[in-house]
Amino acid sequence: MSQIRFEWREILLRDKPAEFLKISSDGTVPVLQNGDEVIQESLDIFLWALEGHEFLENYDAHIVSQNDGAFKTALDRYKYSSRHGEEEGAQARETGSDFIRYLDLILAKKPYLKGDILGATDLAILPFIRQFAHVDQDWFYAQDWHNVIKWLDEFKNSELFKSIMVKQPLWQAGATSRIYGHKRTKV
């Protein structure tokens, strides 16, 4: 899509390399370093990579902000209910379900969140819906949000998804890393 050449460094969070900690102020992933520029938020990296690309024409900041706000908070509490408590986990699942029902209403009218083709809004949200679904797949697939299920399953079975879900080798400081994609110059 964006045709950016980059060096992927897969790390173990329990054994963070010093080079990583030099650029990640809070020690979390993902982090992108482009020369002197450092971007530490997934959404900001996503938008940076697609800057100037026609793919962003159907980007809906409002829907994405709902995902990145209450839904992601609920996802974290639901996914890690052992840390947050079962009662809070159950409430978080209901909060997350509200957002999924909202998406289902949108998807009842069109195949993707912003129209007839997969776009930036879908790709910004789908990984989090997938995580939510995988906490308890039997429960998720028993719900009546059939449009979301169809949308998610189409994504999970797509060549795009299969191409990005490849396990990467752990990066070691001083080791040669693999290069993926093609060069694109940022202006």
Side-chain angles (χ1 to χ4, degrees):
M1 271 180 213
S2 66
Q3 306 300 308
I4 296 174
R5 172 179 254 169
F6 63 94
E7 181 179 11
W8 183 278
R9 294 182 174 183
E10 185 75 24
I11 64 168
L12 284 176
L13 290 176
R14 68 176 180 266
D15 187 21
K16 299 172 185 171
E19 288 181 46
F20 165 72
L21 292 171
K22 286 179 189 175
I23 65 166
S24 180
S25 61
D26 59 2
T28 61
V29 292
V31 62
L32 172 111
Q33 182 178 24
N34 182 37
D36 292 336
E37 179 183 22
V38 175
I39 306 173
Q40 297 193 86
E41 295 294 326
S42 300
L43 182 58
D44 294 337
I45 293 169
F46 176 80
L47 294 172
W48 174 87
L50 292 174
E51 183 181 324
H53 194 282
E54 64 185 28
F55 205 65
L56 278 179
E57 291 173 8
N58 70 358
Y59 180 74
D60 188 318
H62 176 69
I63 294 173
V64 173
S65 71
Q66 289 177 300
N67 177 78
D68 279 12
F71 180 74
K72 278 174 68 173
T73 299
L75 170 60
D76 182 62
R77 291 193 169 103
Y78 173 46
K79 190 173 175 180
Y80 301 109
S81 61
S82 60
R83 281 189 218 156
H84 298 283
E86 293 302 318
E87 188 174 318
E88 189 170 339
Q91 177 56 47
R93 181 168 85 173
E94 188 54 40
T95 300
S97 296
D98 290 342
F99 181 65
I100 292 174
R101 283 189 281 275
Y102 165 71
L103 296 178
D104 198 65
L105 290 173
I106 295 171
L107 293 167
K109 299 174 187 162
K110 50 195 167 197
Y112 301 100
L113 293 174
K114 293 296 291 175
D116 292 329
I117 60 170
L118 180 72
T121 304
D122 303 283
L123 292 180
I125 294 172
L126 274 161
F128 301 101
I129 303 303
R130 179 181 168 272
Q131 287 181 45
F132 190 88
H134 283 238
V135 174
D136 183 345
Q137 290 187 68
D138 292 336
W139 173 84
F140 184 88
Y141 281 92
Q143 303 309 302
D144 65 352
W145 41 54
H146 304 292
N147 302 305
V148 166
I149 290 170
K150 179 181 175 192
W151 173 68
L152 176 62
D153 285 349
E154 179 184 303
F155 176 65
K156 288 180 3 182
N157 291 314
S158 72
E159 289 306 313
L160 173 63
F161 179 75
K162 291 173 187 171
S163 73
I164 61 177
M165 292 304 289
V166 176
K167 274 277 197 208
Q168 301 296 328
L170 285 178
W171 176 78
Q172 301 294 322
T176 303
S177 297
R178 299 166 78 181
I179 304 295
Y180 301 89
H182 302 282
K183 182 136 180 90
R184 176 181 138 191
T185 305
K186 295 288 288 179
V187 182

